[in-house]
């Protein structure tokens, strides 16, 4: 599966996340790749909305994982930007989350590629300033 979506504003990026959240199933893992400021948090908020999460969603940069369990499925939001090595992921119980019954989203997943599950959906968000400040090219690819 491969899908390319072009968005021209935060609302469209949020809507794409929501659509994927509505379709998500237990045990599904999303990886989220993109530079700072491309809209990863906006996308994540949409995904959480699609899962029925009503509490505010923020990036867990300093806690590595944030757990939201009041939606139709538990949502495990990882931000591994500050991870020194993959052993730190084991210390926080990474496998319990990723191989559990919730939906996991891992920001900066390219930093822990060696411990990603066999099957996951990569969401890659890229800017192209020549196409406008709010333009995003979002690639969704299943592995």
């Amino acid at each position: 599966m491969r899908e390319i979506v072009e968005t021209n504003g935060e609302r469209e990026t949020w809507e794409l996340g929501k659509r994927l959240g509505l379709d998500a199933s237990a045990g599904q893992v999303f990886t989220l790749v993109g530079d700072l400021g491309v809209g990863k948090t906006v996308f994540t908020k949409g995904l959480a909305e699609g899962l029925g999460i009503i509490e505010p969603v923020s990036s867990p940069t300093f806690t590595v994982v944030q757990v939201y369990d009041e939606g139709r499925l538990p949502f495990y939001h990882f931000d591994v930007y500050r991870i020194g090595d993959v052993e730190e992921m084991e210390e926080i119980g990474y496998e319990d989350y990723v191989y559990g019954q919730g939906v996991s989203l891992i920001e900066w997943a390219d930093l822990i590629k060696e411990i990603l599950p066999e099957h996951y959906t990569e969401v890659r968000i890229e800017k192209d300033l020549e196409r406008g400040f709010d333009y995003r090219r979002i690639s969704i690819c299943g592995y």
Side-chain angles (χ1 to χ4, degrees):
M1 170 197 110
R2 182 167 176 88
E3 180 181 358
I4 307 278
V5 178
E6 295 177 324
T7 65
N8 290 291
E10 286 187 4
R11 183 73 186 173
E12 291 178 24
T13 300
W14 184 89
E15 287 287 345
L16 175 61
K18 182 177 179 181
R19 177 174 59 94
L20 292 177
L22 287 168
D23 291 340
S25 56
Q28 190 161 6
V29 175
F30 292 92
T31 63
L32 189 52
V33 180
D35 292 333
L36 289 168
V38 296
K40 293 186 299 293
T41 301
V42 169
F43 173 87
T44 301
K45 288 178 179 182
L47 185 85
E49 173 88 11
L51 290 169
I53 307 297
I54 55 173
E55 68 182 273
V57 172
S58 60
S59 189
T61 301
F62 297 102
T63 59
V64 182
V65 64
Q66 182 71 41
V67 177
Y68 303 91
D69 52 14
E70 81 281 353
R72 68 177 178 83
L73 293 168
F75 178 45
Y76 311 124
H77 180 199
F78 293 86
D79 183 332
V80 300
Y81 184 74
R82 298 192 186 316
I83 289 292
D85 59 54
V86 293
E87 279 100 40
E88 288 181 52
M89 295 303 288
E90 293 172 16
E91 292 171 14
I92 63 164
Y94 167 79
E95 288 187 357
D96 294 336
Y97 295 114
V98 170
Y99 295 104
Q101 292 302 306
V103 173
S104 297
L105 180 136
I106 306 167
E107 291 189 47
W108 302 99
D110 48 334
L111 300 175
I112 60 162
K113 213 169 195 110
E114 62 268 30
I115 63 168
L116 291 176
E118 183 178 348
H119 300 288
Y120 60 91
T121 302
E122 180 184 87
V123 178
R124 182 174 296 271
I125 305 176
E126 302 170 299
K127 285 184 182 183
D128 183 349
L129 293 176
E130 291 181 9
R131 308 239 356 227
F133 181 77
D134 292 326
Y135 173 85
R136 301 294 185 269
R137 180 177 190 270
I138 304 172
S139 305
I140 303 163
C141 189
Y143 291 97

